[in-house]
Amino acid sequence: MKKFLLLLLFAFSAVFASAQTVIGGDSLSVSYATPREYTLVKVNVVGTVFVNPEIVVLISGLPVNDKIMIPGEKTADAIDNLWREGIFEDVSIAINKVEGEYIWLDLIVVEKPMIAGDLFFKGIKKNEKEDLIEKLPLKGLMFTEYRERHIIETVNEHFRLDGYLNCETKVRTEYVDTTAKGKGFVRVYVDVNKGKKVRIKEVNIEGNTAMKDWKIRRKMKDTKRMRWYQFFKSTKFVKENLEQDEENVLSAYREKGYRDVRIVKDTVRTTDPNRVEIDIKIEEGNVYRYRNITWVGNTKYSSEKLSQVLGIKKGDVYNQATLESRLYMSPQENDISSLYMNEGYLFFQVNPVETAVPGDSIDIEMRIYEGRPAIIRNVTVVGNTKTNDNVIMREIRTRPGQLFRRTDVIRSQRELASLGYFDPEKIQINPKPDPYTGTVDIEYVVEERPSDQVELSGGWGGNRLVGTLGLSFNNFSARNLFNLKEWRPLPAGDGQKLSIRAQSNGLFFRSFNASFTEPWLGGKKPNSLTVTIYNSLQSNGLKRTDENRADVNIWGATIGFGMRLKKPDDFFYLYQDLTYQYYQLNNYFSVFAFADGYANNLSYRITLSRNSTDQQIYPRSGIDMKVIGQFTPPYSLFNDIDYATADVQTRYKYVEYYKWKFTCSWYNRLAGNLVLSTRVGFGYLGMYNKQVGVAPFERFYLGGSGLTGFALDGREIIALRGYDDQSLSARTGAPIIAKYTWELRYPVSLNPSATVYGLAFVEAGNTWQNFKTFNPFDVYRSGGVGVRVFLPMFGLLGLDWGYRFDDVQNLSGMQKSQIHFSLGMNLGEL
């Protein structure tokens, strides 16, 4: 049509006159009565401000340096092409100059304005504006009809997904500079009327006999009816949610053997402007069962072995989801693919084919391609900007030249996550197989996270705050200590740990602690060496010159050696240490059996542990178990002291005891990231000689927030939330303890820069003076809720509200509930 109008315009002009254009003062006549062929020398673009003139000429399609008819289709096409771009308010073509058979043309355009700044939204909340501005980054772009439609559609879709099905959006513009209209900028105003959310009044289900209505509705996670008890679920209607929930319903049916189930109708009816009813009609079909399962192509394993691993028998209900989990990559690694891949068959494939479906039975033929075992060719690490390659490679179980094994890959991922140097959510393993050579390259992708800490550790109890301030460098490099180029701000990357800590309670308590750990002593085996020195002083706060001052001063040093075991499996770890402590007591009557004098405590401790948790901060699976034995020499068995008549100083000059502890933590993923943590702990402090009695140190004190297991003054303080600090043991402690804890955890954020999870807990525990009164079921119980926040620079911060279920004898004034603030990884060692 535009071409016809242009030709008509040229013809109409020719009827009345011939055009006369003045160029450089010369007079030139051009007749439009009949078309004439010219050579187009040049096209000048007039009126562009934002668009490149060369682009305008290119879009027009005018044939520069080529023949062109004036008037003709090419000039009409040029105008049509420019209009179609939608970036011009007006387009015209004029003759600039004609010399014989040569012609120069002008393309005269008026550009559409540019968008000045972000869009201005009205009628919605601030956070909604921010979300839409992020979705519509149009600042500096040309405002066209397309972009206007795009704004309206994006806004409406944004609110439709939130249940506002009747959202109306209008766009208007305002020129920033009215004097430059068409050549300047406009502000774009978006007026939004969300209306009210459209909610689901009812979900009607028809045709179901195998599953009741309430079970079907439960499977519909995001399509919920309006009911008074729907506090935590939205009842808004979103079409995409309905489609996904219908698929969830079908999957639930298929798991029950209804292979042919389908939804034959789903109707959404509007009952009033803000309410809809959904009608779903289900055609269930018959229940199918497995009949014959045969294997083809298997040479590595017999058909009997494969059927045993598959675990599906003749007559079992047909379940596609179960079948796939038994064939491919089960989390428990008890599937057919894992069986082959753990023996190097990386190129293994299995394809289940339904060969016959007689009635309600199904015959399946498992067609296997085994391939050949894959050999690992190259192993590389990507993304480690701080940790040295050798620190990572020594933890990786896949080695060049070895057979590829899936278990080695999974274990390598677990070991890298356990280091604490990398974000466990972003560790990736990329196998790159080469079927032609039978080899595979494995790439480990890691992302460093802060591992050093400005450590805070302690708790609140007894109207006193015991706090810790220290530095923990968990990826230290001692060999670069004198290489200033490696200080960032300290030398790092070799996986060593350096910790310097100071604890204080003002005038009443202070301690200093320094330790260094080399996790791979010698660099060839995972044998660790740890050296620790410390000093603590606790007093009644009076000056040293005051005769009423009471204090206990402890000096100590520990050297420990750890090694990873290979049997029963390499999750086991053996740690041994030798500790010497010197106690000096001055008028200190508070907790020990003697108040003045000194004591020497030389002990050997051995710890056998097994830790198979998937990560440190928020474990979802695995077990962490420890058996700890601590022993001093039995001095009373080989000296000539009569302990029945010996004074207290003589009796405790050399402290003797043996101590056993058992702790175990289970982590079970219930659904998604919902985790159940179960912990059990027992402790016993024994004596070699009844005349000497139970040692005054190393006893257990139960109750309150605990102090992250740190021996404040020779005591082992264990938390039990909901009760006063150390209220569940005698004033001088107890030699026997038991504690049980259950926590239901759910993460709010798994971001490595701020891991946050909430928890609900119940726990119980008690202490006893001897085995005659010991009863592991006679415990004090409590429950409550809490939150944990892990910040890389500060460690784990905790806040708990605990409610006690039981009364404590002689402590009738204890509050029923308590708030506990904790700083540190554990609430006591048990």
Side-chain angles (χ1 to χ4, degrees), residues 649-688:
Q649 174 60 77
T650 303
R651 179 176 298 179
Y652 298 128
K653 180 178 180 180
Y654 295 100
V655 182
E656 65 174 37
Y657 60 88
Y658 61 91
K659 188 176 185 180
W660 290 100
K661 287 196 301 182
F662 170 78
T663 63
C664 188
S665 298
W666 293 269
Y667 300 95
N668 296 288
R669 188 198 298 260
L670 301 182
N673 286 322
L674 181 66
V675 174
L676 176 64
S677 168
T678 304
R679 296 200 300 272
V680 176
F682 298 95
Y684 172 64
L685 180 65
M687 54 185 169
Y688 298 115

Side-chain angles (χ1 to χ4, degrees), residues 210-428:
M211 291 179 67
K212 295 184 178 180
D213 289 0
W214 67 269
K215 286 188 176 181
I216 293 176
R217 294 191 185 104
R218 179 177 290 181
K219 296 295 180 182
M220 303 177 74
K221 302 296 184 182
D222 297 309
T223 305
K224 297 295 184 182
R225 304 175 297 167
M226 291 179 62
R227 292 295 184 271
W228 65 269
Y229 50 80
Q230 293 288 5
F231 297 112
F232 304 107
K233 285 289 186 178
S234 174
T235 60
K236 65 186 179 184
F237 172 74
V238 178
K239 181 181 178 182
E240 288 77 5
N241 292 348
L242 174 61
E243 293 173 353
Q244 180 59 52
D245 285 336
E246 287 178 343
E247 186 58 38
N248 294 341
V249 171
L250 295 177
S251 296
Y253 265 100
R254 293 183 186 116
E255 290 176 3
K256 292 179 175 292
Y258 290 89
R259 172 176 173 268
D260 299 331
V261 64
R262 63 193 185 103
I263 293 177
V264 295
K265 183 185 73 171
D266 62 340
T267 305
V268 179
R269 295 181 288 108
T270 302
T271 57
D272 61 62
N274 302 311
R275 298 290 182 268
V276 296
E277 287 193 13
I278 302 173
D279 299 325
I280 297 175
K281 185 176 182 179
I282 300 173
E283 186 177 283
E284 294 178 336
N286 298 324
V287 177
Y288 285 78
R289 298 181 182 275
Y290 294 101
R291 191 175 70 168
N292 299 316
I293 299 178
T294 56
W295 303 86
V296 177
N298 53 304
T299 59
K300 173 68 177 177
Y301 298 103
S302 66
S303 297
E304 291 76 14
K305 172 66 175 177
L306 295 177
S307 295
Q308 181 183 357
V309 174
L310 185 67
I312 297 176
K313 299 178 181 179
K314 184 177 182 179
D316 287 351
V317 172
Y318 178 81
N319 186 334
Q320 183 71 23
T322 299
L323 177 63
E324 291 181 357
S325 69
R326 302 284 178 84
L327 290 177
Y328 315 108
M329 304 306 176
S330 166
Q332 291 77 30
E333 299 184 48
N334 56 356
D335 57 281
I336 300 297
S337 293
S338 295
L339 180 68
Y340 272 92
M341 288 193 178
N342 287 336
E343 293 298 325
Y345 289 87
L346 177 62
F347 310 108
F348 165 83
Q349 297 177 13
V350 56
N351 183 26
V353 178
E354 297 180 2
T355 56
V357 187
D360 56 2
S361 299
I362 299 177
D363 291 345
I364 295 182
E365 183 178 85
M366 302 292 185
R367 298 176 182 176
I368 290 178
Y369 169 75
E370 294 180 337
R372 53 177 170 170
I375 303 297
I376 299 173
R377 183 171 56 187
N378 297 312
V379 179
T380 56
V381 180
V382 178
N384 53 316
T385 57
K386 178 180 179 181
T387 306
N388 295 325
D389 285 349
N390 67 297
V391 174
I392 301 174
M393 296 301 295
R394 69 192 185 191
E395 301 293 342
I396 291 176
R397 303 301 177 90
T398 53
R399 300 274 190 251
Q402 292 180 345
L403 272 178
F404 174 89
R405 288 185 173 88
R406 182 172 179 250
T407 52
D408 291 340
V409 174
I410 294 174
R411 182 63 185 275
S412 298
Q413 184 175 21
R414 184 256 177 197
E415 295 299 325
L416 292 179
S418 298
L419 286 175
Y421 310 148
F422 312 112
D423 181 1
E425 307 298 326
K426 296 184 179 179
I427 295 176
Q428 298 179 24

Side-chain angles (χ1 to χ4, degrees), residues 339-539:
L339 180 68
Y340 272 92
M341 288 193 178
N342 287 336
E343 293 298 325
Y345 289 87
L346 177 62
F347 310 108
F348 165 83
Q349 297 177 13
V350 56
N351 183 26
V353 178
E354 297 180 2
T355 56
V357 187
D360 56 2
S361 299
I362 299 177
D363 291 345
I364 295 182
E365 183 178 85
M366 302 292 185
R367 298 176 182 176
I368 290 178
Y369 169 75
E370 294 180 337
R372 53 177 170 170
I375 303 297
I376 299 173
R377 183 171 56 187
N378 297 312
V379 179
T380 56
V381 180
V382 178
N384 53 316
T385 57
K386 178 180 179 181
T387 306
N388 295 325
D389 285 349
N390 67 297
V391 174
I392 301 174
M393 296 301 295
R394 69 192 185 191
E395 301 293 342
I396 291 176
R397 303 301 177 90
T398 53
R399 300 274 190 251
Q402 292 180 345
L403 272 178
F404 174 89
R405 288 185 173 88
R406 182 172 179 250
T407 52
D408 291 340
V409 174
I410 294 174
R411 182 63 185 275
S412 298
Q413 184 175 21
R414 184 256 177 197
E415 295 299 325
L416 292 179
S418 298
L419 286 175
Y421 310 148
F422 312 112
D423 181 1
E425 307 298 326
K426 296 184 179 179
I427 295 176
Q428 298 179 24
I429 302 175
N430 302 323
K432 301 177 180 179
D434 185 352
Y436 297 102
T437 61
T439 60
V440 58
D441 294 339
I442 302 178
E443 179 185 70
Y444 292 86
V445 181
V446 298
E447 183 176 307
E448 299 265 8
R449 71 175 185 185
S451 57
D452 299 332
Q453 295 179 6
V454 177
E455 185 183 4
L456 295 175
S457 178
W460 174 265
N463 295 321
R464 293 179 182 178
L465 175 66
V466 178
T468 300
L469 177 62
L471 299 175
S472 293
F473 302 100
N474 297 313
N475 195 359
F476 190 67
S477 176
R479 66 185 176 90
N480 289 316
L481 192 60
F482 300 104
N483 184 357
L484 297 180
K485 294 181 180 179
E486 297 295 328
W487 285 58
R488 302 187 300 267
L490 285 176
D494 282 346
Q496 298 161 341
K497 182 175 181 179
L498 175 66
S499 175
I500 303 172
R501 307 168 71 235
Q503 280 189 305
S504 179
N505 190 330
L507 297 174
F508 301 95
F509 170 73
R510 62 115 178 107
S511 76
F512 300 98
N513 178 305
S515 68
F516 173 79
T517 300
E518 168 55 72
W520 281 66
L521 186 63
K524 294 183 179 180
K525 294 183 178 180
N527 299 329
S528 67
L529 175 68
T530 300
V531 178
T532 304
I533 56 174
Y534 53 90
N535 168 250
S536 67
L537 174 66
Q538 184 165 347
S539 72

